[in-house]
Amino acid sequence: MPAVTVENPLTLPRVAAPVDAVARPVLGVTTAPSGFEGEGFPVRRAFAGINYRHLDPFIMMDQMGEVEYAPGEPKGTPWHPHRGFETVTYIIDGVFDHQDSHGGGGTITNGDTQWMTAGSGLLHIEAPPESLVVSGGLFHGIQLWVNLPAKDKMMAPRYQDIRGGQVQLLTTPDGGALLRVIAGELDGHQGPGITHTPITLVHATVAPGAEITLPWREDFNGLAYVLAGRGSVGAERRPIRLGQTAVFGAGSSLTVRADEKQDSHTPDLEVLLLGGQPIREPMAHYGPFVMNTRDELQQAFEDFQKGRLGSIPAAHGMTEAGPQGD
């Protein structure tokens, strides 16, 4: 980790918070519980225990791995439906194939992002390719769920395949961090992801002892999740480490610092920075469906059971699938 990097960050455009920025305080730090998803791959539930008013417009996020699979061990998910939101799958290390009931799909690897707008609904599968199952190897990524406003929940499904080489690369004034803007905007620099709900998604690699203070839209929420390493958040330097999420309060900048000493297998602090414009609409969420009312949830289940979200391609030798968590 990470897959997308540069030899000298000082060759990149630099980002710094304006001198009059209001520092966002840290409201809390939570530790993600571990579990298993799909056919048994390990995950950390990054947003577990955080009040939804601090997450909106994000719904949930899983860190998948980091795990070194032995031959025959790599696992994915079975076919499952989605409706009413967007899934963002960012692969840091390893390979994942994805396919849906509308004929979409592809392969993402080493810094690629697959952005799927489920909208009105589809069936979907994610799994390691046969070659990775045979050989084993490193796998690490995240899946983020982004809510859609009521007016967009039943829009036609769509894909964006964002290759690692397309992300906007930036650095800090001293070159102490590499910032990968996957979606949204940071200090006027635009990432490639096109979002219905305004958000910013950044993967930052922060060198030991380095500190980043970034401008952050005041109308966005602010979250930081540690993928690897240890450091601190906020001007108050609240400690944070692998598997923990920091929730920031109101303000126009956020600060993250890497500890001087990192773990031997993690040279830098790796952190995801997320923010978005809250939708502030009622949310009815159950399993793979995220709607606004219970009636809409019941309709989603009925549509799935009656095959209105599509059918599994015949090549898979299957005709139906049961609801899955994600």
Side-chain angles (χ1 to χ4, degrees):
M1 190 216 298
V4 179
T5 189
V6 294
E7 190 170 328
N8 181 9
L10 289 172
T11 62
L12 301 171
R14 303 180 196 189
V15 177
V19 293
D20 58 349
V22 177
R24 286 178 174 248
V26 178
L27 301 182
V29 173
T30 61
T31 301
S34 297
F36 292 91
E37 189 50 73
E39 296 172 342
F41 59 83
V43 298
R44 287 186 175 92
R45 306 289 192 191
F47 295 161
I50 300 175
N51 190 298
Y52 181 65
R53 64 189 164 89
H54 298 310
L55 298 177
D56 186 11
F58 308 112
I59 302 164
M60 58 151 275
M61 187 171 75
D62 283 347
Q63 180 182 11
M64 306 180 293
E66 179 175 9
V67 58
E68 183 75 42
Y69 282 122
E73 283 189 340
K75 298 175 176 68
T77 67
W79 283 94
H80 54 280
H82 287 307
R83 174 180 278 182
F85 63 101
E86 300 184 287
T87 66
V88 181
T89 306
Y90 173 48
I91 300 300
I92 300 166
D93 287 298
V95 188
F96 232 25
D97 289 338
H98 57 97
Q99 185 179 4
D100 72 25
S101 54
H102 288 217
T107 299
I108 48 175
T109 182
N110 296 349
D112 296 341
T113 301
Q114 176 245 313
W115 202 295
M116 185 181 78
T117 304
S120 60
L122 43 65
L123 303 181
H124 186 238
I125 189 170
E126 298 156 308
E130 186 63 28
S131 59
L132 182 63
V133 174
V134 171
S135 66
L138 186 62
F139 184 81
H140 190 200
I142 64 108
Q143 185 170 95
L144 170 71
W145 287 16
V146 185
N147 203 4
L148 287 170
K151 65 182 179 63
D152 293 328
K153 283 197 177 292
M154 295 299 287
M155 68 176 294
R158 131 183 128 175
Y159 271 113
Q160 297 173 71
D161 278 313
I162 302 168
R163 297 301 161 188
Q166 295 176 292
V167 302
Q168 174 70 63
L169 300 180
L170 307 169
T171 191
T172 46
D174 63 358
L178 175 61
L179 310 171
R180 304 166 193 80
V181 185
I182 297 168
E185 175 265 341
L186 185 63
D187 194 31
H189 302 277
Q190 193 73 36
I194 300 169
T195 69
H196 292 281
T197 303
I199 73 166
T200 295
L201 174 60
V202 178
H203 173 192
T205 298
V206 188
E211 182 175 280
I212 61 175
T213 298
L214 304 177
W216 210 253
R217 278 180 53 167
E218 292 187 60
D219 59 338
F220 278 20
N221 63 347
L223 302 161
Y225 177 75
V226 178
L227 294 163
R230 58 184 67 242
S232 60
V233 285
E236 59 270 49
R237 294 195 175 182
R238 181 85 171 264
I240 194 169
R241 56 175 169 76
L242 166 65
Q244 292 188 320
T245 302
V247 176
F248 291 92
S252 55
S253 71
L254 53 80
T255 297
V256 177
R257 186 180 188 278
D259 284 357
E260 295 279 356
K261 291 186 177 180
Q262 298 292 330
D263 299 332
S264 59
H265 64 283
T266 304
D268 304 299
L269 172 67
E270 302 285 348
V271 60
L272 278 180
L273 304 173
L274 308 94
Q277 196 169 60
I279 296 174
R280 296 194 175 95
E281 293 177 348
M283 184 176 70
H285 172 203
Y286 188 81
F289 305 124
V290 183
M291 306 304 292
N292 295 103
T293 68
R294 281 189 62 85
D295 286 347
E296 290 171 345
L297 268 186
Q298 290 171 344
Q299 185 64 55
F301 272 102
E302 181 181 327
D303 289 347
F304 168 54
Q305 290 165 350
K306 293 186 175 180
R308 295 173 185 148
L309 300 191
S311 57
I312 296 169
H316 286 261
M318 301 167 64
T319 56
E320 58 181 279
Q324 302 293 323
D326 60 297

